[in-house]
Amino acid sequence: MTIEAGQSLAGQPTTARQAGARRPLGELGRAALGRAGRAALLATGRPPVPDALEPLVRVHRRHHPQADLGLLARAYRLAEASHRGQKRKSGEPYITHPLAVTMILAQLGAGTTTLVASLLHDTVEDTDLTLDQVGAGFGPEVAYLVDGVTKLEKVDFGAAAEAETFRKMLVATGDDVRVMVIKLADRLHNMRTIRHMKPASQVRIAKVTRDVLIPLAERLGIQVLKAELEDIVFATLHPEEHARTRALMAGHEAEPDTLLEPFARQLARQLAETGVAAEVTVRPRHCVSLHRVLLERAAAPGPDGRPQGPQPADFGRLLVVVEENADCYAVLGELHTCWTPLPGEFKDFVAAPKFNLYQSLHTAVALEGRAVVEVLVRTRRMHEVAETGVVALGDPTPAGTAQDADELDRTDPARPGWLSRLLEWQQETPDPDAFWSALTADLAGDREITVVTETGETLQLRAGASCVDAAYLLGEETGHRCIGARVNGRLTALSTVLQDGDVLAVLTENLPAGGSQPSGPSPEWLAHARTPAARLAIERWLADHPARLPVVRTGPAGGQPAPPAHRAGERRAAPVTVAGRPGAPVRLARCCTPVPPDEVAGYPIRGGAVAVHRTSCPAGQRLRADGRAELEVRWRPEGAPAAGHRVTLLAEALNRPRLLADLTAAISGEGVGIVSAEVEPPQELRVRHTYTVELPEPGTLPALMRAMLKVSGVYDVSRPHAPEGARPRHSGGNGGDRPAPGVRPSWGIHDRSTAFTGHRGPGDSRGSAPQPHSDQRTE
């Protein structure tokens, strides 16, 4: 039902593609043309066409009044002569199949060249006609389309014939999208007559249609074709559920519409009063669409806590077709002013079209009686593209002019972004089984999302893609060097699933000095990769770079001076002097590992020893609060502990492969020995390394911390204290204070005496996500 509101829309007739209710692409009967139509056709002076082509010509001229009918007639005569004597499984002459496929394409509005190729699409495969003969008679463009949809022989490819045929069609589609349009129309007619196949063949063909061809129809935006394919597949694979859904639809159609039609008339009157020219249409749902709504109803409990049954508004939606883009928003304003909009139901695909060029405003409003009605608002052109997708955009750019086109223009039907990505990874998958698995997995996501990088680049990804997929979409080298990601300004794990509209920054490591290979991905990334391109790149890297265990160096690097050795039995001078207690044993606290020139204080502990803490250490402050006398302590100019100056350092980093090896190499490169190393389990993306090192000289500490901070992925290096609230353990054996068991050292408490360029202060590490070091950059 169509209700006009306001002034007429430029007097343009509503075609079959522009009608509100989606009708099956059925053939027109010859009686519909009539003798008057044939006489009018012959009166044009054009050469006569065969009678079998008259319904096709009538539909085609509606969209292309200047079509070359002589070319169509020649193609039909050649196809009819080539297929003469062949029968379909239904018993009909074989020529009925190419005629039906061509009629589907004509109803979609395809051009004459596409229709000619459709009439001939099975001749090379099933008759003695050769591709060279097709090219000689109709040109290389038609020959290319026919070759693109021609199946490969099972004799040559065996069980891989179907997968390789689809690979061939996809490659041909990359150059001319009409190849896939013809294939989809061919499959639609075959599905209409699938009842003549054996049951096993019906199931096999329906599953391939569901897994591959329906997603391709969705991505090409051909909704009328996709909807009918979905319904036939539903009836083939789930006949009982299909029958129940059809019965509900029939029952609803038999009753008067007391909700949608009255609301359509009310909306049309409201728009007419405001001067908005529009057509308001009640648009029934097709079988699969209604079945999905019913499943959602059954899964959501109603006010009484029980599953909800079908509601009158579930059987259809309102479609409002206007003239200009601005009118779309005028209609939206009237809807939201006169009725109550539902929060979260508004989607603007006009300003941000879908990946398949679909544009509409979607909203839902609540009527009296708590009924909720969905409303779609679009222009005539948007409606045409929404129904027929790339077919509505016309033939691809002629050869020789493509170089002048904008490379980022997503309206070119011959160059959709998803197809370009699919063609890239299929080249890396020579195995037919692997290609088929990757193809079905890639097409399984029935929608795509748009992610924007912080530099303004737009990325189109399948729904469910992670930061790993986005990194490899930016380039294989960027993916291999990825060490982290920032989503909407917050540091996040690489496994994070991206949402539509997210703002992303991919953090990468610098290439190692003196080499050209990054550390590369880890095997765990495969669990987070959703796109075939990312998975193939990761698998290829892992195959070329076998896993190697990191080597932890526990002494000075080669060529570096070692700490001075001391003879056994040699008495070492105490590292500090304690005022008032000459000769007292001194223990340097392990919680804060003081080294010259730290400001330190001493506190008496058991056994007459003195524990030396940094003055800023919370453990020492608690000792003082408990009544321990604070002793004045000074560093000896030449004193050193028996085991050398030991320091504990915390390195906080973005987790990545080879991080431990790179950090230990940086420490050893400064001539520092590692006494112990501890790596805590990663928390999402972040990891903390704790190192106890032995310094050859106290003055080497700032240089060591700078070297650690330069390692890719490390964003903070600090010296720990005992955490606030932890009770120190006093040990006579070592005289130090250690955090209580299970208490983590506090993050971001830095020693002021070791400040240096690039080392952030305490406030930078608390209360917000850590920021990457300047050695990392954003791709």
Side-chain angles (χ1 to χ4, degrees), residues 548-618:
R548 293 173 299 190
L549 295 175
V551 178
V552 180
R553 301 179 178 87
T554 58
Q560 296 291 337
H566 302 281
R567 291 186 298 272
E570 180 182 357
R571 184 176 180 84
R572 299 288 306 278
V576 296
T577 59
V578 182
R581 295 199 178 190
V586 174
R587 315 294 187 195
L588 298 181
R590 294 189 179 181
C591 59
C592 55
T593 56
V595 294
D598 294 342
E599 295 181 4
V600 292
Y603 302 92
I605 59 176
R606 280 184 270 178
V610 176
V612 178
H613 292 260
R614 285 188 282 163
T615 55
S616 59
C617 179

Side-chain angles (χ1 to χ4, degrees), residues 458-543:
T458 300
L459 306 179
Q460 298 291 335
L461 291 158
R462 58 172 290 186
S466 66
C467 297
V468 173
D469 300 302
Y472 279 95
L473 184 57
L474 290 169
E476 190 166 309
E477 181 182 353
T478 301
H480 290 338
R481 295 168 52 208
C482 176
I483 57 175
R486 192 165 54 241
V487 177
N488 300 326
R490 300 189 65 179
L491 202 64
T492 186
L494 288 174
S495 60
T496 299
V497 176
L498 297 169
Q499 303 298 324
D500 196 32
D502 279 346
V503 179
L504 170 73
V506 175
L507 310 178
T508 59
E509 65 170 321
N510 287 339
L511 292 178
S516 59
Q517 291 292 337
S519 58
S522 66
E524 290 77 12
W525 289 16
L526 289 172
H528 312 317
R530 299 291 184 269
T531 58
R535 291 188 62 85
L536 290 170
I538 295 170
E539 290 171 351
R540 188 164 52 247
W541 171 276
L542 296 176

Side-chain angles (χ1 to χ4, degrees), residues 312-328:
D314 295 339
F315 291 87
R317 297 179 289 184
L318 256 62
L319 172 65
V320 182
V321 179
V322 296
E323 220 173 313
E324 303 291 341
N325 287 19
D327 294 338
C328 294

Side-chain angles (χ1 to χ4, degrees), residues 415-431:
R415 197 170 56 241
W418 62 267
L419 181 58
S420 299
R421 295 192 299 275
L422 190 150
L423 293 175
E424 288 175 3
W425 66 254
Q426 71 84 23
Q427 296 175 355
E428 305 294 333
T429 317
D431 180 67

